[in-house]
Amino acid sequence: MENLDCSAVLADVWLLLDNECDQDVRARLTAHLQTCQQCFEHYGIEKQLKALINRKCGGDQAPAGLRERLTVQIRQSVTITETQIDGPDRT
């Protein structure tokens, strides 16, 4: 069994909670949580926090115009740089 550093496990707890990690990472994190009481307790707190946030905010919808305003702001803040690639001289 791989001996993971607790700080690495705690940094990845939300990946596990959000199902954003592959099966190998999930297996390693789960194995560590089963053997490390401190990390398991932290995982439990984060799991409860996620459930609370979901209960309190899960049904909220952003105002209709918010997406449009964000899209415009993102487009204004993104700088597009055009690069010209010179090809062989065809004179």
Side-chain angles (χ1 to χ4, degrees), residues 8-65:
V9 172
L10 296 178
D12 289 340
V13 162
W14 280 91
L15 293 176
L16 183 63
L17 288 170
D18 292 337
N19 294 318
E20 293 181 352
C21 56
D22 63 34
Q23 290 297 352
D24 292 337
V25 171
R26 174 176 290 286
R28 287 194 306 268
L29 293 173
T30 302
H32 180 86
L33 291 171
Q34 290 172 348
T35 60
C36 179
Q37 184 65 31
Q38 183 179 0
C39 286
F40 183 74
E41 288 173 6
H42 182 79
Y43 171 79
I45 292 168
E46 297 297 330
K47 188 175 181 179
Q48 289 176 353
L49 177 62
K50 181 178 172 60
L52 176 65
I53 291 169
N54 191 37
R55 275 195 316 274
K56 297 297 181 182
C57 304
D60 290 349
Q61 297 269 333

Side-chain angles (χ1 to χ4, degrees), residues 67-78:
R67 179 185 169 113
E68 232 175 86
R69 288 193 311 269
L70 288 174
T71 301
V72 169
Q73 288 178 349
I74 290 169
R75 285 184 181 149
Q76 289 174 346
S77 67
V78 173

